[in-house]
């Protein structure tokens, strides 16, 4: 294939093909763009060929010549077959330029005439292949794409490696893939790397996350799978995309999906991978492995206790066949070579064989929860004794902070509970649904509740089930709006049941109608009903919600409501719930500028919900802690926490819009502005789809902030004007809620609207003064100074900015303090003479506010200070704008900038969410491009010295 052109960096990656591989894909693209080669490796089915095809598709148009080969195991014994695939179509172009001995040897190898061998024609044939590549490279860039290197015939592999090591600076890149196993975790790709060009980047494909597997299944049309099933697919596939897709296909074709706790159907295409090896085991060895597959953490001691007397020899034979992992390390646990081996083994067993395995484990397991589970799986039909044991085990799992386990045990208990028992099967199912909610498995909870509603007649059971359905909907209440009249009808005049429904109606008033006053009234009504009924947990939740509404509204009764919610008696679970009094108190503290106490409060709440396994609350509190760090100016820490909360939200489907919104703020402060914009737009779209006016205003505030950091003042004004209108309609009066007012005023000044900016400042200041919001007042002073500067009042503007910076620093708002210093330096540019941005640079660097540092870099370049070495940070950022560093790719620039800050490779990897090996490979490319040898030379370059 011949396409004219030079290698160039492609416009964008192929996200449709590289789910979960974005960082890896970017590193490989940068490597190829910089003239290097890439070796992709990993186990079978992990997606090597997919990544290879995606990368090759981007670079094919940039190469004059593309040479391809893809070997198979059945053809690996045929000599020179891969060489024929690579050179068969291009050899005629260059054969006339080869010396006669080389031409003869090559033609003989490619055609089979003359029986050429490496032993006889060794040097001539090696030189011929090298000469072909060099000749093609003189005509334009060459890309060699080779898949499944492990199946290359030895002769072709040797010739390819010989040439690769000697291509030097020729424009020949190799893009290869090779299978390496997950066990043992050694450097199995090393021998292939040694046969590659010296600058080859080795990229290992690791298993996909659960969220990636969910996205992959959705992209392939396997939509609507419950998250609990997706979790099982992820666990069974081990994150292997090929295995996950095959499991998804089997589920899509199955007429009855498995119930929670039941094994997934393993299709023949996958079970065949392991069943042939299982047939090589004795019948007794297979029974031993079946017991191991049924156990949660099987050990030799457990197998012995379960009656498997020859467990050592039988597991050793299984390990020899590759069915079990061979490395025990320090753990006595027996591990299958892949989760699919265990799944296929269990799925192929008969129901009687499974029950026998569970019966043996029901007495052998040391953990009472495990014993109860095995007892249930060994039994058939209803059995009050088994149900009681399972109910006790579910309670124990709940207390241990394992609500997902409790939900599974509760469902097993319901299955074995007679219809006339107390508690009955529906009550056990509802408890399981509530446990599933706690664990973040909202789809499972909703399905259980719907099953109960289909047959339950007792009002208490029905209302409890409706509450699960409503809670599972989250912020998408519009989808279940018809539920509320039915729940009210079932509640009748029972104050306890009515309190539950009225509490949910408070949320409906907030999220669907945007009526904070009505939401507060409903919450107060629910609290009164719950108190009348003696239902303290519901009363505490309602009071916590009422307190949050009063806080947002600037209602004077908020402190008293918080105090009522904090009084004894307390319910331990409600006390740490994200809608409880503790969360309301945290919101009050952070809005009142009590950052240290807010951090202590939210950290304690986060620790407790993690202990209890309360996933939805964990998402909320991670966000809350990130917000506290962001307010304090710890942008790097805030970004890490926000990304962690977003990963958890994506994985569980809980609070994705709200978490995307806050992660946008963290990205705009300490990460990537483009990502901040994308996340904010996602949050806006989701809030609009859900009809959620509360989070729509927050999402638009985040979008406006990201647009301001990106330098788009007009777009900022457009977004934040909408926020102003929304909050006025919602009744939000506390400016500490969204803190967008200063951004709007600043953007209005930038587009030449100082009068409107002053109007925003005056209206907001009145509310902030009434509520005592000191940090908001200081930010408004910063914005007002810009209005004054726009009017030509330089002296008063400078004094007001200086005072605002000092106040923000004393309050502990590090990022806002830095922004004031930046604005102050900007005012000084209006005077004659040079300007120093050293103070702003120092403060932004202390905050690790990278997007703002880039703004300072641009401003510093336009208005240089008297001394180019005024500070190390200023010098580092000046160097980033230099011609030398401008030649680096995006990832290389980021790594170089962090080296200039003194970050270690491990710290850089954590900051950029890449591996340490990727950092090392990136630095190697940076050294080569800049003509330097070490990290020290980067620092020297940063401060203006030539490398020694």
């Amino acid at each position: 294939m011949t396409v004219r052109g030079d290698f160039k960096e492609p416009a964008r990656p192929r996200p449709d093909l590289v789910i979960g591989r974005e960082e890896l894909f970017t590193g490989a693209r940068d490597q190829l763009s910089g003239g290097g080669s890439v070796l992709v490796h990993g186990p079978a089915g992990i997606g090597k060929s997919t990544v290879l095809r995606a990368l090759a598709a981007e670079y094919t148009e940039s190469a004059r010549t593309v040479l391809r080969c893809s070997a198979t195991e059945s053809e690996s014994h045929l000599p020179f077959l891969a060489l024929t695939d690579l050179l068969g179509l291009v050899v005629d172009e260059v054969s006339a330029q080869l010396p006669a001995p080389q031409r003869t040897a090559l033609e003989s190898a490619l055609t089979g005439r003359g029986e050429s061998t490496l032993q006889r024609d060794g040097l001539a044939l090696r030189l011929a292949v090298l000469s072909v590549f060099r000749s093609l490279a003189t005509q334009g860039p060459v890309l060699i794409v080779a898949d499944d290197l492990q199946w290359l015939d030895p002769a072709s592999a040797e010739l390819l490696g010989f040439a690769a090591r000697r291509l030097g600076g020729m424009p020949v890149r190799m893009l290869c893939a090779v299978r390496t196993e997950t066990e043992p975790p050694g450097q199995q790709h090393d021998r292939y790397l040694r046969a590659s060009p010296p600058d080859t980047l080795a990229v290992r494909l690791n298993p996909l996350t659960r969220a990636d597997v969910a996205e992959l299944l959705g992209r392939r049309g396997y939509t609507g799978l419950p998250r609990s099933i997706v979790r099982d697919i992820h666990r069974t596939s081990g994150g292997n995309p090929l295995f996950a897709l095959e499991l998804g296909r089997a589920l899509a074709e199955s007429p009855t999906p498995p119930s929670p706790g039941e094994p997934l159907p393993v299709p023949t295409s996958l079970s065949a991978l392991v069943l042939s090896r299982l047939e090589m085991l004795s019948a007794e060895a297979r029974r031993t492995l079946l017991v191991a597959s049924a156990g949660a953490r099987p050990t030799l001691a457990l197998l012995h206790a379960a009656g498997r007397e020859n467990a050592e020899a039988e597991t050793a034979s299984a390990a020899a066949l590759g069915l079990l992992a061979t490395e025990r390390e320090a753990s006595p646990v027996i591990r299958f070579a892949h989760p699919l081996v265990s799944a296929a083994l269990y799925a192929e067993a008969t129901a009687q064989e499974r029950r026998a395995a569970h019966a043996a484990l029901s007495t052998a397991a040391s953990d009472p929860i495990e014993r109860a589970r095995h007892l249930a799986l060994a039994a058939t039909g209803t059995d009050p004794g088994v149900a009681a044991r399972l109910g006790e085990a579910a309670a124990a799992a709940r207390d241990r902070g394992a609500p997902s386990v409790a939900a599974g045990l509760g469902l097993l208990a319901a299955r074995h509970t007679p219809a006339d028992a107390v508690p009955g099967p529906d009550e056990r199912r509802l408890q399981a649904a509530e446990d599933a909610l706690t664990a973040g498995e909202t789809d499972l909870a909703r399905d259980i509740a719907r099953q109960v509603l289909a047959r339950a007649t007792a009002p208490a059971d029905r209302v409890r089930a409706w509450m699960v359905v409503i809670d599972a909907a989250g912020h998408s209440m519009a989808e279940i709006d018809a539920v509320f009249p039915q729940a009210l009808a079932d509640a009748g005049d029972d104050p306890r049941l009515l309190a539950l429904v009225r509490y949910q109606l408070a949320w409906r008033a907030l999220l669907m109608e945007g009526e904070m006053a009505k939401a507060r009234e409903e919450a107060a009504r629910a609290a009164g009903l719950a108190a009348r009924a003696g239902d303290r947990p519901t009363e505490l939740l309602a009071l916590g919600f009422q307190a949050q509404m009063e806080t947002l509204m600037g209602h004077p009764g908020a402190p008293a409501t918080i105090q009522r919610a904090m009084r004894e008696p307390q319910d331990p679970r409600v006390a740490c719930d994200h809608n409880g009094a503790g969360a309301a108190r945290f919101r009050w503290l952070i809005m009142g500028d009590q950052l240290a106490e807010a951090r202590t409060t939210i950290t304690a709440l986060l620790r407790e919900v993690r202990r209890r396994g309360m996933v939805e609350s964990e998402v909320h509190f991670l966000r809350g802690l990130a917000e506290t760090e962001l307010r304090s100016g710890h942008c790097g820490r805030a970004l890490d926490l926000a990304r962690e909360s977003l990963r958890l939200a994506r994985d569980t489907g809980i609070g994705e819009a709200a978490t995307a919104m806050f992660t946008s703020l963290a990205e705009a402060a300490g990460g990537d502005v483009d990502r901040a914009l994308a996340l904010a737009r996602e949050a806006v779209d989701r809030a609009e789809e859900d009809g959620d006016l509360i989070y729509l205003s927050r999402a638009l505030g985040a979008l406006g902030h990201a647009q301001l950091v990106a330098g788009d003042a007009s777009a900022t004004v457009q977004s934040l004007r909408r926020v102003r209108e929304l909050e006025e309609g919602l009744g939000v009066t506390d400016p500490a809620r969204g803190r967008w007012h200063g951004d709007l005023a600043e953007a209005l000044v930038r587009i030449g609207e100082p009068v409107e900016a002053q109007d925003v400042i005056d209206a907001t200041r009145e509310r902030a003064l009434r509520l005592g919001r000191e940090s908001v007042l200081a930010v408004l002073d910063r914005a007002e100074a810009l209005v004054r500067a726009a009017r030509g009042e330089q002296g008063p503007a400078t004094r007001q900015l200086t005072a605002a910076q000092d106040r923000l620093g004393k309050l502990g708002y590090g990022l806002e303090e830095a922004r004031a210093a930046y604005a102050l330096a900007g005012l000084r540019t209006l005077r004659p003479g040079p300007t120093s941005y050293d103070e702003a640079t120092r403060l932004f660097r202390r905050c690790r506010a990278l997007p703002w540092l880039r703004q300072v870099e641009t401003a510093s370049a336009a208005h240089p200070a008297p001394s180019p070495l005024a500070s190390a940070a200023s010098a580092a950022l000046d160097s980033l704008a230099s011609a030398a560093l401008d030649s680096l790719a995006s990832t290389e620039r980021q790594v170089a900038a962090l080296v200039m800050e003194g970050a270690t490779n491990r710290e850089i990897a954590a900051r950029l969410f890449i591996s340490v090996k990727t950092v090392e490979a990136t630095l190697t490319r940076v050294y080569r491009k800049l003509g330097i040898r070490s990290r020290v030379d980067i620092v020297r370059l940063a401060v203006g010295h030539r490398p020694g």
Side-chain angles (χ1 to χ4, degrees), residues 523-533 539 542 564:
R525 190 174 176 184
L529 286 165
R532 216 171 84 202
E539 181 189 7
R564 285 176 61 199

Side-chain angles (χ1 to χ4, degrees), residues 51 81 121 201 310-311 380 438 484 588 658 661 698 734 762:
V51 170
L81 185 62
D121 302 324
L201 172 67
N310 298 316
T380 57
T438 300
F484 290 97
W588 175 262
M661 174 274 298
R698 295 295 306 272
D734 194 331
D762 291 342

Side-chain angles (χ1 to χ4, degrees), residues 631-819:
R631 298 271 174 259
S632 303
H634 306 150
C635 298
R637 172 71 173 149
L639 183 59
D640 291 343
L641 287 164
R643 286 174 172 172
E644 183 182 354
S645 69
L646 185 60
R647 282 193 296 271
L648 186 57
R650 298 265 198 246
D651 196 29
T652 59
I654 294 173
E656 289 187 78
T659 311
M661 174 274 298
F662 186 79
T663 307
S664 169
L665 293 173
E667 290 283 357
D672 180 84
V673 179
D674 289 338
R675 181 164 169 75
L677 289 165
L679 286 168
R681 291 187 179 110
E682 175 192 337
V684 169
D685 291 344
R686 283 178 174 265
E688 287 180 330
E689 288 172 9
D690 294 341
D692 185 343
L693 299 178
I694 290 293
Y695 271 104
L696 177 59
S697 68
R698 295 295 306 272
L700 285 167
L703 178 59
H705 180 73
Q707 289 164 333
L708 182 71
V709 178
D712 192 344
S714 296
T716 300
V717 169
Q718 183 179 358
S719 296
L720 297 185
R721 278 175 175 162
R722 283 189 67 193
V723 177
R724 192 180 188 189
E725 293 171 4
L726 279 169
E727 290 203 349
E728 286 176 0
L730 290 167
V732 177
T733 60
D734 194 331
R737 184 246 186 183
R739 298 178 182 266
W740 48 267
H741 314 76
D743 285 349
L744 176 55
E746 182 176 335
L748 286 165
V749 171
R750 291 190 190 183
I751 67 169
E753 297 286 351
V755 175
E756 184 182 348
Q758 189 63 55
D759 175 65
V760 171
I761 292 166
D762 291 342
T764 308
R765 181 178 281 135
E766 180 183 353
R767 294 174 176 176
L769 282 168
R770 177 171 59 84
L771 296 169
R773 304 304 191 215
E774 290 297 323
S775 62
V776 174
L777 290 168
V779 168
L780 292 174
D781 282 350
R782 186 184 69 203
E784 189 172 51
L786 299 178
V787 174
R788 287 184 169 182
R791 293 171 177 164
E793 303 171 15
Q794 298 301 314
T798 300
R799 290 191 292 274
Q800 190 171 19
L801 263 179
T802 303
Q805 180 184 340
D806 182 61
R807 287 169 63 195
L808 288 165
K810 289 178 179 176
L811 288 168
Y813 284 75
L815 182 58
E816 300 296 349
E817 177 192 5
R819 287 182 62 179

Side-chain angles (χ1 to χ4, degrees), residues 581-594:
R585 181 171 178 272
F586 162 73
R587 182 55 49 197
W588 175 262
L589 289 169
I590 200 168
M591 291 176 70
D593 301 325
Q594 300 179 59

Side-chain angles (χ1 to χ4, degrees), residues 562-606:
I562 292 174
Q563 287 180 358
R564 285 176 61 199
M566 300 292 290
R567 287 179 196 150
E568 296 295 337
Q570 287 290 318
D571 180 274
R573 188 191 178 286
V574 174
C576 63
D577 189 274
H578 59 281
N579 291 320
R585 181 171 178 272
F586 162 73
R587 182 55 49 197
W588 175 262
L589 289 169
I590 200 168
M591 291 176 70
D593 301 325
Q594 300 179 59
L595 297 181
E597 194 171 352
R599 182 184 290 106
T600 300
T601 299
I602 197 69
T603 300
L605 287 169
L606 179 60

